[in-house]
Short mmCIF file of all heavy atoms in Angstrom, two decimals:
data_model
loop_
_atom_site.label_atom_id
_atom_site.label_comp_id
_atom_site.label_asym_id
_atom_site.label_seq_id
_atom_site.Cartn_x
_atom_site.Cartn_y
_atom_site.Cartn_z
N GLU A 40 -20.44 -10.16 -2.73
CA GLU A 40 -19.54 -11.31 -2.80
C GLU A 40 -18.80 -11.39 -4.13
O GLU A 40 -17.75 -12.04 -4.22
CB GLU A 40 -20.33 -12.62 -2.60
CG GLU A 40 -20.97 -12.77 -1.23
CD GLU A 40 -22.22 -11.93 -1.07
OE1 GLU A 40 -22.87 -11.64 -2.09
OE2 GLU A 40 -22.53 -11.56 0.08
N ASP A 41 -19.30 -10.76 -5.17
CA ASP A 41 -18.68 -10.87 -6.50
C ASP A 41 -18.63 -9.50 -7.16
O ASP A 41 -19.62 -8.98 -7.65
CB ASP A 41 -19.49 -11.84 -7.37
CG ASP A 41 -18.87 -12.03 -8.76
OD1 ASP A 41 -17.76 -11.51 -8.99
OD2 ASP A 41 -19.50 -12.70 -9.60
N ILE A 42 -17.43 -8.91 -7.17
CA ILE A 42 -17.25 -7.59 -7.78
C ILE A 42 -16.40 -7.70 -9.05
O ILE A 42 -15.80 -6.71 -9.49
CB ILE A 42 -16.62 -6.59 -6.80
CG1 ILE A 42 -15.23 -7.04 -6.36
CG2 ILE A 42 -17.53 -6.40 -5.59
CD1 ILE A 42 -14.48 -5.98 -5.56
N SER A 43 -16.34 -8.88 -9.65
CA SER A 43 -15.47 -9.10 -10.80
C SER A 43 -15.84 -8.22 -11.98
O SER A 43 -14.96 -7.74 -12.71
CB SER A 43 -15.50 -10.58 -11.22
OG SER A 43 -16.82 -11.00 -11.52
N ARG A 44 -17.14 -7.96 -12.17
CA ARG A 44 -17.55 -7.10 -13.29
C ARG A 44 -17.08 -5.67 -13.06
O ARG A 44 -16.66 -4.98 -14.00
CB ARG A 44 -19.06 -7.15 -13.46
CG ARG A 44 -19.58 -8.50 -13.95
CD ARG A 44 -21.09 -8.53 -14.01
NE ARG A 44 -21.58 -9.83 -14.45
CZ ARG A 44 -22.73 -10.35 -14.07
NH1 ARG A 44 -23.49 -9.69 -13.22
NH2 ARG A 44 -23.12 -11.52 -14.52
N LEU A 45 -17.17 -5.24 -11.83
CA LEU A 45 -16.67 -3.91 -11.48
C LEU A 45 -15.17 -3.82 -11.72
O LEU A 45 -14.67 -2.84 -12.30
CB LEU A 45 -17.01 -3.61 -10.01
CG LEU A 45 -16.44 -2.32 -9.40
CD1 LEU A 45 -17.00 -1.11 -10.10
CD2 LEU A 45 -16.74 -2.28 -7.91
N GLN A 46 -14.46 -4.83 -11.30
CA GLN A 46 -13.01 -4.85 -11.50
C GLN A 46 -12.64 -4.82 -12.97
O GLN A 46 -11.69 -4.13 -13.37
CB GLN A 46 -12.41 -6.10 -10.83
CG GLN A 46 -12.50 -6.07 -9.31
CD GLN A 46 -12.15 -7.40 -8.68
OE1 GLN A 46 -12.52 -8.45 -9.20
NE2 GLN A 46 -11.43 -7.36 -7.57
N ARG A 47 -13.39 -5.54 -13.79
CA ARG A 47 -13.10 -5.57 -15.22
C ARG A 47 -13.28 -4.20 -15.86
O ARG A 47 -12.48 -3.77 -16.71
CB ARG A 47 -14.00 -6.60 -15.92
CG ARG A 47 -13.68 -6.79 -17.40
CD ARG A 47 -14.34 -8.02 -17.97
NE ARG A 47 -15.79 -7.97 -17.91
CZ ARG A 47 -16.53 -8.75 -17.13
NH1 ARG A 47 -15.96 -9.64 -16.32
NH2 ARG A 47 -17.84 -8.65 -17.13
N VAL A 48 -14.31 -3.48 -15.45
CA VAL A 48 -14.54 -2.14 -15.98
C VAL A 48 -13.39 -1.20 -15.61
O VAL A 48 -12.93 -0.40 -16.43
CB VAL A 48 -15.89 -1.57 -15.46
CG1 VAL A 48 -16.05 -0.11 -15.86
CG2 VAL A 48 -17.05 -2.39 -16.01
N VAL A 49 -12.90 -1.33 -14.37
CA VAL A 49 -11.79 -0.48 -13.93
C VAL A 49 -10.51 -0.82 -14.68
O VAL A 49 -9.82 0.06 -15.21
CB VAL A 49 -11.57 -0.64 -12.41
CG1 VAL A 49 -10.30 0.09 -11.98
CG2 VAL A 49 -12.77 -0.08 -11.64
N VAL A 50 -10.16 -2.11 -14.74
CA VAL A 50 -8.92 -2.53 -15.38
C VAL A 50 -8.89 -2.15 -16.86
O VAL A 50 -7.85 -1.74 -17.39
CB VAL A 50 -8.73 -4.06 -15.21
CG1 VAL A 50 -7.59 -4.56 -16.09
CG2 VAL A 50 -8.45 -4.39 -13.75
N ASN A 51 -10.03 -2.23 -17.51
CA ASN A 51 -10.11 -1.88 -18.93
C ASN A 51 -10.36 -0.40 -19.16
O ASN A 51 -10.55 0.03 -20.31
CB ASN A 51 -11.19 -2.70 -19.63
CG ASN A 51 -10.82 -4.16 -19.73
OD1 ASN A 51 -9.65 -4.52 -19.81
ND2 ASN A 51 -11.82 -5.04 -19.71
N HIS A 52 -10.37 0.37 -18.09
CA HIS A 52 -10.55 1.82 -18.13
C HIS A 52 -11.74 2.22 -19.02
O HIS A 52 -11.63 2.99 -19.96
CB HIS A 52 -9.28 2.52 -18.63
CG HIS A 52 -9.27 3.98 -18.29
ND1 HIS A 52 -8.94 4.45 -17.04
CD2 HIS A 52 -9.57 5.07 -19.04
CE1 HIS A 52 -9.04 5.78 -17.03
NE2 HIS A 52 -9.42 6.17 -18.23
N LYS A 53 -12.90 1.66 -18.67
CA LYS A 53 -14.11 1.93 -19.45
C LYS A 53 -14.83 3.20 -19.01
O LYS A 53 -15.65 3.73 -19.76
CB LYS A 53 -15.08 0.74 -19.32
CG LYS A 53 -14.58 -0.56 -19.93
CD LYS A 53 -14.61 -0.49 -21.45
CE LYS A 53 -14.23 -1.83 -22.07
NZ LYS A 53 -15.23 -2.88 -21.83
N VAL A 54 -14.55 3.67 -17.78
CA VAL A 54 -15.29 4.82 -17.26
C VAL A 54 -14.33 5.78 -16.56
O VAL A 54 -13.20 5.43 -16.22
CB VAL A 54 -16.39 4.38 -16.27
CG1 VAL A 54 -17.38 3.43 -16.92
CG2 VAL A 54 -15.78 3.73 -15.02
N ASP A 55 -14.83 7.01 -16.34
CA ASP A 55 -14.04 8.03 -15.63
C ASP A 55 -14.37 8.09 -14.15
O ASP A 55 -13.66 8.75 -13.38
CB ASP A 55 -14.30 9.41 -16.25
CG ASP A 55 -13.90 9.45 -17.72
OD1 ASP A 55 -12.90 8.81 -18.07
OD2 ASP A 55 -14.59 10.13 -18.50
N GLY A 56 -15.45 7.44 -13.75
CA GLY A 56 -15.84 7.45 -12.34
C GLY A 56 -17.06 6.57 -12.16
O GLY A 56 -17.67 6.11 -13.13
N PHE A 57 -17.42 6.32 -10.90
CA PHE A 57 -18.51 5.40 -10.59
C PHE A 57 -19.52 6.03 -9.63
O PHE A 57 -19.18 6.87 -8.80
CB PHE A 57 -17.97 4.13 -9.93
CG PHE A 57 -17.34 3.15 -10.85
CD1 PHE A 57 -15.97 3.18 -11.06
CD2 PHE A 57 -18.09 2.20 -11.52
CE1 PHE A 57 -15.36 2.27 -11.91
CE2 PHE A 57 -17.50 1.29 -12.36
CZ PHE A 57 -16.13 1.32 -12.56
N ILE A 58 -20.76 5.54 -9.74
CA ILE A 58 -21.80 5.78 -8.75
C ILE A 58 -22.23 4.43 -8.20
O ILE A 58 -22.63 3.54 -8.97
CB ILE A 58 -23.01 6.52 -9.35
CG1 ILE A 58 -22.62 7.93 -9.77
CG2 ILE A 58 -24.16 6.57 -8.34
CD1 ILE A 58 -23.71 8.67 -10.53
N LEU A 59 -22.12 4.25 -6.89
CA LEU A 59 -22.62 3.04 -6.22
C LEU A 59 -24.01 3.35 -5.69
O LEU A 59 -24.21 4.34 -5.00
CB LEU A 59 -21.71 2.62 -5.07
CG LEU A 59 -20.24 2.32 -5.40
CD1 LEU A 59 -19.50 1.89 -4.13
CD2 LEU A 59 -20.13 1.24 -6.46
N THR A 60 -24.98 2.50 -5.99
CA THR A 60 -26.37 2.78 -5.62
C THR A 60 -26.79 2.13 -4.31
O THR A 60 -27.96 2.21 -3.94
CB THR A 60 -27.32 2.34 -6.74
OG1 THR A 60 -27.09 0.96 -7.03
CG2 THR A 60 -27.12 3.17 -7.99
N ARG A 61 -25.86 1.48 -3.62
CA ARG A 61 -26.18 0.94 -2.30
C ARG A 61 -24.91 0.97 -1.46
O ARG A 61 -23.82 0.67 -1.95
CB ARG A 61 -26.71 -0.49 -2.41
CG ARG A 61 -26.96 -1.15 -1.06
CD ARG A 61 -27.43 -2.59 -1.20
NE ARG A 61 -28.82 -2.65 -1.64
CZ ARG A 61 -29.41 -3.75 -2.08
NH1 ARG A 61 -28.72 -4.86 -2.19
NH2 ARG A 61 -30.68 -3.72 -2.44
N THR A 62 -25.05 1.33 -0.19
CA THR A 62 -23.91 1.28 0.72
C THR A 62 -24.11 0.14 1.71
O THR A 62 -25.22 -0.12 2.16
CB THR A 62 -23.75 2.61 1.48
OG1 THR A 62 -25.01 3.01 2.05
CG2 THR A 62 -23.25 3.70 0.56
N LEU A 63 -23.01 -0.51 2.05
CA LEU A 63 -23.04 -1.70 2.89
C LEU A 63 -22.14 -1.50 4.11
O LEU A 63 -21.20 -0.70 4.09
CB LEU A 63 -22.57 -2.92 2.11
CG LEU A 63 -23.30 -3.22 0.80
CD1 LEU A 63 -22.59 -4.33 0.04
CD2 LEU A 63 -24.75 -3.60 1.06
N VAL A 64 -22.41 -2.26 5.15
CA VAL A 64 -21.54 -2.25 6.32
C VAL A 64 -20.19 -2.82 5.92
O VAL A 64 -19.14 -2.23 6.16
CB VAL A 64 -22.16 -3.06 7.48
CG1 VAL A 64 -21.20 -3.11 8.66
CG2 VAL A 64 -23.50 -2.45 7.89
N ASN A 65 -20.21 -3.99 5.30
CA ASN A 65 -19.00 -4.59 4.73
C ASN A 65 -19.06 -4.34 3.23
O ASN A 65 -19.63 -5.12 2.48
CB ASN A 65 -18.94 -6.08 5.05
CG ASN A 65 -18.91 -6.34 6.54
OD1 ASN A 65 -18.09 -5.78 7.25
ND2 ASN A 65 -19.82 -7.16 7.02
N ASP A 66 -18.46 -3.23 2.79
CA ASP A 66 -18.70 -2.71 1.45
C ASP A 66 -17.52 -2.99 0.52
O ASP A 66 -16.64 -2.15 0.30
CB ASP A 66 -18.96 -1.20 1.53
CG ASP A 66 -19.78 -0.70 0.36
OD1 ASP A 66 -19.68 -1.29 -0.73
OD2 ASP A 66 -20.52 0.27 0.54
N ALA A 67 -17.51 -4.19 -0.07
CA ALA A 67 -16.42 -4.59 -0.96
C ALA A 67 -16.29 -3.70 -2.19
O ALA A 67 -15.17 -3.32 -2.56
CB ALA A 67 -16.59 -6.05 -1.38
N PRO A 68 -17.39 -3.31 -2.86
CA PRO A 68 -17.25 -2.43 -4.03
C PRO A 68 -16.59 -1.09 -3.67
O PRO A 68 -15.70 -0.62 -4.37
CB PRO A 68 -18.69 -2.24 -4.50
CG PRO A 68 -19.41 -3.45 -4.04
CD PRO A 68 -18.79 -3.79 -2.72
N ALA A 69 -17.01 -0.48 -2.56
CA ALA A 69 -16.43 0.81 -2.16
C ALA A 69 -14.97 0.65 -1.79
O ALA A 69 -14.13 1.50 -2.14
CB ALA A 69 -17.22 1.41 -1.00
N GLU A 70 -14.63 -0.41 -1.07
CA GLU A 70 -13.24 -0.62 -0.68
C GLU A 70 -12.35 -0.80 -1.91
O GLU A 70 -11.24 -0.28 -1.97
CB GLU A 70 -13.14 -1.85 0.24
CG GLU A 70 -13.69 -1.62 1.63
CD GLU A 70 -12.99 -0.48 2.36
OE1 GLU A 70 -11.75 -0.39 2.29
OE2 GLU A 70 -13.69 0.34 2.99
N TYR A 71 -12.85 -1.54 -2.89
CA TYR A 71 -12.06 -1.74 -4.11
C TYR A 71 -11.84 -0.42 -4.85
O TYR A 71 -10.72 -0.10 -5.28
CB TYR A 71 -12.75 -2.74 -5.04
CG TYR A 71 -12.08 -2.85 -6.38
CD1 TYR A 71 -10.85 -3.47 -6.52
CD2 TYR A 71 -12.67 -2.29 -7.51
CE1 TYR A 71 -10.21 -3.56 -7.75
CE2 TYR A 71 -12.05 -2.37 -8.75
CZ TYR A 71 -10.82 -3.01 -8.86
OH TYR A 71 -10.20 -3.07 -10.08
N LEU A 72 -12.89 0.38 -4.98
CA LEU A 72 -12.75 1.65 -5.70
C LEU A 72 -11.82 2.60 -4.95
O LEU A 72 -11.08 3.37 -5.58
CB LEU A 72 -14.12 2.28 -5.91
CG LEU A 72 -15.05 1.54 -6.88
CD1 LEU A 72 -16.40 2.25 -7.00
CD2 LEU A 72 -14.41 1.39 -8.26
N LYS A 73 -11.84 2.57 -3.63
CA LYS A 73 -10.91 3.41 -2.86
C LYS A 73 -9.47 3.02 -3.18
O LYS A 73 -8.59 3.89 -3.34
CB LYS A 73 -11.17 3.24 -1.37
CG LYS A 73 -12.37 4.01 -0.85
CD LYS A 73 -12.73 3.60 0.57
CE LYS A 73 -11.59 3.81 1.54
NZ LYS A 73 -11.97 3.43 2.92
N GLU A 74 -9.21 1.73 -3.32
CA GLU A 74 -7.86 1.25 -3.62
C GLU A 74 -7.39 1.70 -5.00
O GLU A 74 -6.21 2.01 -5.20
CB GLU A 74 -7.81 -0.27 -3.54
CG GLU A 74 -7.98 -0.83 -2.13
CD GLU A 74 -8.08 -2.33 -2.13
OE1 GLU A 74 -7.95 -2.94 -3.21
OE2 GLU A 74 -8.29 -2.91 -1.04
N THR A 75 -8.31 1.78 -5.95
CA THR A 75 -7.93 2.15 -7.31
C THR A 75 -7.68 3.65 -7.45
O THR A 75 -6.95 4.07 -8.35
CB THR A 75 -9.02 1.76 -8.32
OG1 THR A 75 -10.20 2.56 -8.11
CG2 THR A 75 -9.38 0.29 -8.21
N GLY A 76 -8.29 4.45 -6.59
CA GLY A 76 -8.15 5.90 -6.69
C GLY A 76 -9.08 6.54 -7.69
O GLY A 76 -9.06 7.76 -7.89
N ILE A 77 -9.94 5.76 -8.34
CA ILE A 77 -10.87 6.32 -9.32
C ILE A 77 -11.98 7.09 -8.59
O ILE A 77 -12.42 6.67 -7.52
CB ILE A 77 -11.46 5.20 -10.20
CG1 ILE A 77 -12.19 5.80 -11.41
CG2 ILE A 77 -12.41 4.30 -9.41
CD1 ILE A 77 -12.57 4.76 -12.47
N PRO A 78 -12.43 8.24 -9.11
CA PRO A 78 -13.50 8.98 -8.43
C PRO A 78 -14.79 8.16 -8.33
O PRO A 78 -15.17 7.48 -9.30
CB PRO A 78 -13.71 10.20 -9.33
CG PRO A 78 -12.45 10.33 -10.12
CD PRO A 78 -11.95 8.93 -10.32
N PHE A 79 -15.44 8.21 -7.18
CA PHE A 79 -16.75 7.57 -7.06
C PHE A 79 -17.56 8.25 -5.97
O PHE A 79 -17.01 8.86 -5.05
CB PHE A 79 -16.62 6.06 -6.79
CG PHE A 79 -16.20 5.69 -5.39
CD1 PHE A 79 -17.14 5.33 -4.43
CD2 PHE A 79 -14.85 5.67 -5.04
CE1 PHE A 79 -16.75 4.97 -3.15
CE2 PHE A 79 -14.45 5.31 -3.75
CZ PHE A 79 -15.41 4.96 -2.81
N VAL A 80 -18.87 8.15 -6.11
CA VAL A 80 -19.82 8.70 -5.15
C VAL A 80 -20.83 7.61 -4.83
O VAL A 80 -21.21 6.84 -5.73
CB VAL A 80 -20.55 9.94 -5.71
CG1 VAL A 80 -21.49 10.54 -4.66
CG2 VAL A 80 -19.57 10.98 -6.20
N THR A 81 -21.27 7.54 -3.59
CA THR A 81 -22.28 6.55 -3.25
C THR A 81 -23.64 7.22 -3.05
O THR A 81 -23.73 8.32 -2.52
CB THR A 81 -21.92 5.78 -1.96
OG1 THR A 81 -21.97 6.66 -0.84
CG2 THR A 81 -20.54 5.16 -2.07
N ILE A 82 -24.66 6.54 -3.53
CA ILE A 82 -26.04 6.90 -3.19
C ILE A 82 -26.35 6.11 -1.93
O ILE A 82 -26.59 4.91 -1.96
CB ILE A 82 -27.01 6.55 -4.32
CG1 ILE A 82 -26.76 7.46 -5.53
CG2 ILE A 82 -28.46 6.68 -3.85
CD1 ILE A 82 -27.65 7.16 -6.71
N GLY A 83 -26.32 6.78 -0.80
CA GLY A 83 -26.48 6.11 0.48
C GLY A 83 -25.38 6.52 1.43
O GLY A 83 -24.23 6.69 1.04
N SER A 84 -25.76 6.68 2.68
CA SER A 84 -24.82 7.12 3.71
C SER A 84 -23.85 6.00 4.07
O SER A 84 -24.13 4.82 3.88
CB SER A 84 -25.58 7.55 4.97
OG SER A 84 -26.61 8.46 4.66
N THR A 85 -22.71 6.40 4.59
CA THR A 85 -21.73 5.45 5.10
C THR A 85 -20.99 6.11 6.24
O THR A 85 -20.89 7.33 6.32
CB THR A 85 -20.74 5.01 4.00
OG1 THR A 85 -19.70 4.22 4.60
CG2 THR A 85 -20.11 6.21 3.31
N GLU A 86 -20.46 5.29 7.13
CA GLU A 86 -19.70 5.83 8.26
C GLU A 86 -18.23 6.03 7.89
O GLU A 86 -17.45 6.49 8.71
CB GLU A 86 -19.83 4.87 9.45
CG GLU A 86 -21.26 4.81 10.00
CD GLU A 86 -21.42 3.80 11.11
OE1 GLU A 86 -20.45 3.07 11.39
OE2 GLU A 86 -22.51 3.76 11.71
N ASP A 87 -17.86 5.70 6.66
CA ASP A 87 -16.50 5.89 6.18
C ASP A 87 -16.32 7.34 5.75
O ASP A 87 -16.87 7.77 4.73
CB ASP A 87 -16.23 4.95 5.00
CG ASP A 87 -14.77 4.97 4.55
OD1 ASP A 87 -14.06 5.94 4.85
OD2 ASP A 87 -14.36 3.99 3.88
#
């Protein structure tokens, strides 16, 4: 429900990529990172 900290890290360009440690059916963190184009990998399967 709250990905504001994730968004702040992206906007301030603090990292070169992300690892998400949980995958969700309704996965707001993954959807946001897909929109940004920043590299990321999830620990956990997804149907996406």
Side-chain angles (χ1 to χ4, degrees):
E40 296 76 26
D41 181 7
I42 62 171
S43 57
R44 291 176 181 149
L45 174 63
Q46 292 170 320
R47 185 166 62 248
V48 173
V49 172
V50 169
N51 291 330
H52 197 79
K53 294 288 185 67
V54 301
D55 299 324
F57 283 94
I58 293 173
L59 302 181
T60 55
R61 176 182 285 167
T62 50
L63 305 172
V64 176
N65 300 307
D66 205 330
E70 288 301 317
Y71 172 72
L72 292 179
K73 282 169 59 179
E74 291 173 4
T75 67
I77 192 169
F79 75 97
V80 183
T81 67
I82 291 179
S84 309
T85 172
E86 294 176 354
D87 187 340

